[in-house]
Amino acid sequence: MGDVLYVLEHYYPYLIRGFFTTLLVSVIALAGSLLIGIVVAVLRIVPSKALNAFGRAYVEILRNIPLLLVAFFFYHGLTAFGLNLDGFTAGTLGLTVYTAAFIAEAVRAGIQAIPRGQMEAGLASGLSYVQTMRYIILPQAIKIVIPPIGNQFLNLVKNSSILSLFAGFDLMYWSDYAASDSFKTFGAYILAAAFY
């Protein structure tokens, strides 16, 4: 208990700063992954084989490679194309793109849970496929998938710890700093776990 109190007393401002950075990254990544995930989910079910294949490839590739590899691509891999991203941006993009694949699957399941008659009714009333999807199908599907998207948000918050590898100044970064600076590793990591 003494280690926890020591770390809390001496490193509290850093941990709070890291906590808010973690929340900021998580909210930005959630918003971006929702947008990308919804688009990819729609691509997974459209009649076009090319778009369907693109959506399937996106989901299958990103769900089957480690998040760390995705983040490394944005932080180190894009330098080959002349793009040098800071740790915060690279980590946020990595989280966004990675989480979008999981959200796409949840949204696709929600869309497929809507009775087929809803799509047919929309098309029969003169709406285009896109309008029917936007005004009839997606609003119902999003209500269905709120719990799985909530789970993905919780996973996203925990996955945000990868920012510590790129000096993203998140909670895990400052916990590592407190652990190495004070040699109170137990206290630092217990506090990080409590924040998460």
Side-chain angles (χ1 to χ4, degrees), residues 153-175:
F153 180 64
L154 293 176
N155 285 334
L156 190 149
V157 172
K158 292 186 291 183
N159 288 340
S160 69
S161 62
I162 63 150
L163 263 70
S164 64
L165 298 173
F166 310 123
F169 301 108
D170 67 319
L171 179 59
M172 197 64 204
Y173 175 87
W174 289 115
S175 297

Side-chain angles (χ1 to χ4, degrees), residues 73-85:
F73 171 77
F74 284 105
Y75 191 66
H76 294 296
L78 291 181
T79 57
F81 303 104
L83 291 171
N84 293 319
L85 301 178

Side-chain angles (χ1 to χ4, degrees), residues 65-139:
I65 59 175
L67 170 59
L68 185 60
L69 186 60
V70 176
F72 270 132
F73 171 77
F74 284 105
Y75 191 66
H76 294 296
L78 291 181
T79 57
F81 303 104
L83 291 171
N84 293 319
L85 301 178
D86 61 276
F88 181 87
T89 305
T92 304
L93 284 173
L95 277 171
T96 301
V97 169
Y98 182 78
T99 306
F102 293 91
I103 288 180
E105 280 300 282
V107 172
R108 182 182 64 83
I111 291 171
Q112 290 179 330
I114 305 300
R116 183 178 290 275
Q118 297 281 326
M119 176 62 80
E120 293 168 357
L123 294 173
S125 66
L127 295 175
S128 68
Y129 181 86
V130 173
Q131 290 172 325
T132 304
M133 188 61 70
R134 180 177 176 197
Y135 297 116
I136 298 174
I137 305 297
L138 280 176

Side-chain angles (χ1 to χ4, degrees), residues 9-94:
E9 181 181 342
H10 291 91
Y11 298 96
Y12 179 76
Y14 299 110
L15 295 174
I16 289 296
R17 185 182 323 158
F19 176 71
F20 283 113
T21 300
T22 296
L23 282 181
L24 178 63
V25 166
S26 300
V27 168
I28 292 169
L30 178 67
S33 61
L34 274 173
L35 292 174
I36 295 169
I38 289 170
V39 170
V40 172
V42 171
L43 292 178
R44 295 276 326 259
I45 61 165
V46 295
S48 168
K49 286 186 179 183
L51 294 176
N52 192 289
F54 175 79
R56 184 178 305 122
Y58 181 91
V59 169
E60 293 302 324
I61 290 170
L62 284 167
R63 284 181 65 187
N64 290 303
I65 59 175
L67 170 59
L68 185 60
L69 186 60
V70 176
F72 270 132
F73 171 77
F74 284 105
Y75 191 66
H76 294 296
L78 291 181
T79 57
F81 303 104
L83 291 171
N84 293 319
L85 301 178
D86 61 276
F88 181 87
T89 305
T92 304
L93 284 173

